[in-house]
Amino acid sequence: MRPGFLYFSIFTWLVFTGGRFTAPFLQNVAGFDDTLIGITFAIQILLFSFLSSIGGIWADKLEFKYPEKGRIGCLAVGTFLATISFEIHGIVQFLVKDDHTMSTVLHITARLMYASCSAILFPILDGITLSYLKKHSRDATAYGQERLFGAVAWAIASMLVGPILDSHGFDVFFWSAPVGGILCIITFLKYANDSLHFTEEMVEDVGMQETEMVENTKEDISSSIEDSFKDVPNPTEETNSLKILWSMTRTFSACGFIFSAWTLNMGTSVVENLIFLYFETLGGTNTICGLTVVVTVLFEIPIFHYAPQLLAYFGADTMQKIACFAYIIRVIGYTFVPQNQIALVLLFEPLHGVTYACSKTSSVEFAARITPDGYEASVQGLLSMILGFGSVAGVLFGGWIEDVLGPKVLYRSYAGIVALGLGIFYIALSLDRTVQNARYKHLPKKQSSIDVHDDIDQQQIIL
């Protein structure tokens, strides 16, 4: 089984526990205003950022100890506990609906529990995917081809949920969440079983080539698997977060990339968490909101599918620039949509697909290039933590700005922030080129041009 099926099940579950409808859900079920929604999302993302790195390291350690079971086990536990946490919203609504203060506290607690349990999912999922690609001798640039399964699930589930919410209300989520959780657990078990069989076959084939006598017993196969991991360093002994962080920031271009991705995360966090509230003020229904997700995904799918070719042709740095430009144009366009003309937002939704797919692909490629074998989830978790701080700042101030100054000011100001990050990235790339040219200035012209070109190619690999 491919990791793409894991993405499909996880993204289906995400929509079944709120997805892009979470802000309207909190507004209608918990009675939150825009400011409180923004604060809740900010705390939730902050927890998500811290725990994603810890969860990635924890999952890698368990994977070393229990090959082909450790990371999948973490996914299963996180999904199960997050589903239970989400159901607390229903219990609160049933038991303490009349006590507004207590209800608010318990709803916020439920969101934080949900965030804490689901924080580990994506770093682990990305780590599983990168490990799978290495094991099957595929380049990390093929990540997008697996990730597109999630995009498809996100679109299908959102399109199904939207009309149901319009007809039956947001209580539907209390029934859909367990369904999504069960789907995930079944998929995880199937993937773990297939991966274990593949590893046993691979170890058996290697043993047949290296020795003339191989006992095909279960005990010897298990021993071979254990021996294959003896020389692999323990993540906590050989590599720590500071060393990984240093490898991420050793060039101006890498620092500029991270800063640009950080500001872009500020902007996208507002769109992903609060945009449906704005669409409601324009006269949009949940069905229309679900349709916007479908349009978005239609443009994500080809980018994820052709990610290897796009990365080979453009590089991670150019894809990051494309993501930023698409975001700026889109959110400014939102602010010119007239009241009760919600269908016009569909003209700008394709740009969200471009932003998300390009930024996600470029950031995973950036992290994959500096990841030693066995630390895939750790590096993805650390990068998620860094970029998560941008999301925290985005929704924390975004909810307040929308409440006080209105959505038009919100989205135009965030377009300016993303433009600032993009400008810093351009400056960082220019600084690295200047440093490289200075290093080779003393060489003959022909040799210098070749070496500088090679060095720039190496810089693109870092990015």
Side-chain angles (χ1 to χ4, degrees):
M1 178 183 284
R2 296 170 57 175
F5 291 102
L6 300 179
Y7 283 104
F8 190 94
S9 63
I10 285 289
F11 273 83
T12 300
W13 170 80
L14 283 174
V15 176
F16 285 2
T17 56
R20 291 277 290 275
F21 297 97
T22 300
F25 169 80
L26 293 176
Q27 190 178 62
N28 286 271
V29 173
F32 288 8
D33 59 21
D34 290 355
T35 300
L36 187 55
I37 289 173
I39 293 173
T40 302
F41 278 137
I43 300 174
Q44 179 176 318
I45 296 171
L46 186 63
L47 276 175
F48 197 98
S49 301
F50 277 114
L51 295 178
S52 61
S53 179
I54 297 173
I57 295 174
W58 177 50
D60 282 342
K61 292 176 67 175
L62 288 177
E63 186 70 14
F64 276 101
K65 189 174 182 180
Y66 307 104
E68 309 303 335
K69 297 178 182 178
R71 290 172 181 158
I72 284 291
C74 292
L75 278 182
V77 171
T79 304
F80 174 77
L81 294 178
T83 303
I84 298 299
S85 300
F86 182 84
E87 292 299 318
I88 294 176
H89 288 296
I91 298 174
V92 172
Q93 186 185 31
F94 179 74
L95 295 180
V96 291
K97 186 176 182 179
D98 296 333
D99 188 341
H100 181 70
T101 301
M102 179 61 67
S103 174
T104 299
V105 171
L106 292 177
H107 277 300
I108 292 176
T109 302
R111 292 309 305 172
L112 299 187
M113 291 174 60
Y114 175 86
S116 300
C117 297
S118 60
I120 63 175
L121 300 183
F122 281 101
I124 296 174
L125 196 51
D126 290 341
I128 288 174
T129 303
L130 294 174
S131 178
Y132 171 90
L133 294 176
K134 288 180 181 179
K135 187 185 302 182
H136 289 77
S137 302
R138 296 173 61 192
D139 193 79
T141 55
Y143 163 85
Q145 295 178 346
E146 303 300 325
R147 177 61 179 72
L148 70 83
F149 281 72
V152 172
W154 187 256
I156 294 174
S158 297
M159 185 170 58
L160 292 174
V161 166
I164 297 175
L165 293 178
D166 283 332
S167 59
H168 294 85
F170 286 91
D171 288 349
V172 168
F173 283 128
F174 301 133
W175 299 96
S176 63
V179 173
I182 293 172
L183 172 65
C184 287
I185 298 300
I186 293 173
T187 307
F188 297 161
L189 292 174
K190 173 64 175 171
Y191 184 87
N193 184 63
D194 289 354
S195 297
L196 187 59
H197 286 168
F198 178 82
T199 301
E200 290 176 345
E201 292 173 1
M202 185 172 61
V203 171
E204 183 177 351
D205 290 342
V206 171
M208 290 290 289
Q209 294 173 4
E210 293 180 350
T211 66
E212 295 182 358
M213 297 181 62
V214 176
E215 295 184 17
N216 294 316
T217 63
K218 185 174 181 180
E219 292 77 9
D220 286 336
I221 292 175
S222 300
S223 177
S224 297
I225 295 175
E226 292 175 1
D227 291 342
S228 68
F229 284 94
K230 283 183 178 178
D231 296 330
V232 179
N234 185 293
T236 58
E237 294 177 358
E238 297 290 335
T239 302
N240 55 42
S241 296
L242 291 178
K243 290 182 180 179
I244 295 174
L245 183 62
W246 167 248
S247 69
M248 287 181 173
T249 58
R250 55 187 174 182
T251 65
F252 288 117
S253 298
C255 292
F257 181 95
I258 292 175
F259 183 74
S260 176
W262 193 86
T263 57
L264 183 60
N265 262 44
M266 281 190 67
T268 55
S269 68
V270 173
V271 172
E272 292 173 356
N273 293 294
L274 303 178
I275 193 63
F276 280 7
L277 297 177
Y278 179 44
F279 288 170
E280 285 184 350
T281 65
L282 295 177
T285 63
N286 291 312
T287 301
I288 290 293
C289 290
L291 184 58
T292 63
V293 176
V294 175
V295 175
T296 294
V297 170
L298 288 177
F299 284 78
E300 287 180 21
I301 290 174
I303 296 176
F304 279 129
H305 181 73
Y306 292 105
Q309 293 88 340
L310 292 172
L311 283 168
Y313 186 81
F314 291 111
D317 55 341
T318 301
M319 292 191 72
Q320 175 66 17
K321 296 173 188 175
I322 293 172
C324 292
F325 278 119
Y327 176 86
I328 294 168
I329 295 170
R330 173 170 52 98
V331 296
I332 291 178
Y334 284 156
T335 64
F336 290 99
V337 175
Q339 185 73 24
N340 296 321
Q341 298 292 326
I342 186 64
L344 293 178
V345 302
L346 297 176
L347 298 176
F348 300 103
E349 281 305 285
L351 292 175
H352 179 67
V354 174
T355 296
Y356 184 81
C358 287
S359 62
K360 184 64 177 176
T361 301
S362 62
S363 63
V364 170
E365 171 68 6
F366 168 77
R369 291 297 183 183
I370 53 103
T371 302
D373 289 344
Y375 301 93
E376 291 84 3
S378 302
V379 176
Q380 296 296 333
L382 181 60
L383 183 62
S384 294
M385 182 180 70
I386 295 172
L387 300 184
F389 291 136
S391 299
V392 170
V395 294
L396 181 62
F397 295 108
W400 177 82
I401 293 173
E402 188 168 38
D403 242 356
V404 177
L405 302 176
K408 291 185 177 181
V409 173
L410 168 66
Y411 292 109
R412 290 172 183 174
S413 61
Y414 274 56
I417 291 173
V418 173
L420 173 64
L422 181 60
I424 296 295
F425 187 30
Y426 270 106
I427 293 173
L429 289 171
S430 178
L431 288 173
D432 265 343
R433 292 191 187 99
T434 301
V435 171
Q436 290 160 358
N437 289 335
R439 286 171 55 192
Y440 294 99
K441 187 167 62 175
H442 66 283
L443 297 176
K445 184 175 181 181
K446 184 176 181 180
Q447 183 179 0
S448 174
S449 64
I450 294 174
D451 288 341
V452 169
H453 178 73
D454 291 342
D455 206 24
I456 291 176
D457 286 343
Q458 182 64 32
Q459 176 190 336
Q460 290 178 343
I461 289 177
I462 294 175
L463 284 175

